[in-house]
Amino acid sequence: MYRKFFNLQTSPFGTSPDPRFLYMMPHTREALAGLEYGISERKGFTVLTGEVGTGKTTLLRSALGSLGQRRVHTSFVFNPLLDPLDFLEFVLTDFGLTPNSRTKSGMLLQLNRWLIERYRAQETCVVVVDEAQNLSWELLEEIRLLTNLESSSEKLLQIVLSGQPELEEKLRHPSVRQLRQRIFLWCRTQSLTAEQTGEYIAERLRIAGTTNAIFSPEAIQLIYTYSQGIPRTINLICEHSLILGYVEQINVIPGSLIAQVAADLELDMQSFLMAPSQHGEGLHNPLRPMETGKFMNSFNREPGGGR
Ligand SMILES: Nc1ncnc2c1ncn2[C@@H]1O[C@H](COP(=O)(O)OP(=O)(O)OP(=O)(O)O)[C@@H](O)[C@H]1O
Ligand SMILES: [Mg+2]
């Protein structure tokens, strides 16, 4: 409803993981390159982790979108709360196969044959498990076993596990050390800095059709404070601000309007608890983005290791 008023062709701050709006930060570029490399070079396991709403699914969709043009077959598991049989059936079906058996061995055999054919045709196959922090230990082990499907030199099936920080915890558990040892690449998404928040907002507005500075500098600073640089929360605040700006017929959103929106969204107390502004030391609070700004630029390194 506000599009015409702000001169926009589309809604700039949707909350779906739409790769058209991908804003490239150094860590985004690095993670994207890592994912594409790990998959196309058939390196086996790649892991992507990051706080809630920092762009993991958006990044996966973007990577798969560009790999899709390069003979890559994808199965995207978005709900990993499956038992091993259902998981295998889902993967086969998502690869376009009709499972010819409901037994584990039958489906594994079928998958293996198909993967060998794809490999001979120089095609790459990848299973992406999103929300992988929810994987049961049992399914995690089954997934590890899938990487045993290999030719003499390369993995036949590439696996990407993507999830929130709980996935990092899970992969640190001694019972999955075999899997951990096989992780070729560990990529991360991060929350944005104050400066990146401004660029991110401008970039989304530009993609939606306007280069007008709809948000005042003070508004952008407050969006950053309330969102702590989490893209999904930035989108939420911006979307509500545009609606309110339209209702009140304000062309340039001032800081006071952001404060009002944040209060409506009950973000004020959260950001107070998150406190001390810039990345780094703060009050301990489970809501605070984990290790904001302290992430390693991390190819092939485990979180918490070797720092
Ligand atoms: N780099 C980015 N460029 C553009 N938009 C982004 C970026 N990162 C995140 N977003 C936006 O933020 C919102 C949340 O992103 P997404 O769903 O990918 O996060 P997520 O990390 O997968 O979240 P969850 O942990 O809840 O699964 C989406 O609207 C997405 O478009
Ligand atoms: Mg997601």
Side-chain angles (χ1 to χ4, degrees), residues 13-25 27-28 50-60 130-131 133 162-165 189-190 192 200 203-204 207 230-233 235:
F13 298 107
T15 46
S16 59
D18 186 344
R20 270 183 317 153
F21 283 95
L22 190 69
Y23 162 66
M24 287 287 192
M25 292 161 277
H27 77 261
T28 322
E51 262 297 340
V52 177
T54 49
K56 299 177 293 296
T57 305
T58 311
L59 202 62
L60 290 174
D130 203 6
E131 309 279 352
Q133 74 277 357
S162 170
Q164 293 163 5
T189 53
Q190 300 177 21
L192 280 60
Y200 171 89
E203 177 68 357
R204 290 193 80 110
I207 295 166
I230 302 282
R232 184 180 290 132
T233 316
N235 286 10

Side-chain angles (χ1 to χ4, degrees), residues 38-39 41-46 72-75 87-88 91-92 95 108 111-112 114-116 118-119 123-129 142-151 154-160:
I39 294 170
E41 295 300 309
R42 299 200 177 105
K43 296 295 186 185
F45 263 112
T46 306
V72 175
H73 299 267
T74 308
S75 169
F87 176 82
L88 267 178
V91 166
L92 279 175
F95 274 139
L108 276 174
L111 181 62
N112 196 25
W114 183 75
L115 290 172
I116 290 169
R118 302 280 62 81
Y119 181 71
E123 293 166 1
T124 305
C125 303
V126 55
V127 174
V128 177
V129 184
E142 288 297 332
I143 291 174
R144 177 185 74 81
L145 293 174
L146 284 181
T147 57
N148 285 345
L149 305 174
E150 53 194 342
S151 73
E154 286 174 310
K155 301 285 178 197
L156 292 181
L157 185 61
Q158 314 314 310
I159 304 212
V160 177

Side-chain angles (χ1 to χ4, degrees), residues 6 213-216 219 241-242 244-246 250-255 257-258:
F6 288 111
I214 294 177
F215 293 89
S216 70
S241 305
L242 290 182
L244 195 56
Y246 166 70
I250 301 171
N251 292 85
V252 178
I253 307 283
L257 192 143
I258 303 296

Side-chain angles (χ1 to χ4, degrees), residues 26-35 46-50 168 183-190 291 294-307:
H27 77 261
T28 322
R29 199 166 282 117
E30 197 176 330
L32 200 58
L35 281 170
T46 306
V47 172
L48 173 67
T49 51
E168 299 190 359
I183 298 172
F184 167 71
L185 216 56
W186 200 312
C187 315
R188 283 185 189 75
T189 53
Q190 300 177 21
E291 295 186 355
K294 290 188 191 165
F295 284 92
M296 300 170 287
N297 284 338
S298 50
F299 271 4
N300 206 13
R301 288 171 64 183
E302 280 183 47
R307 266 185 280 188

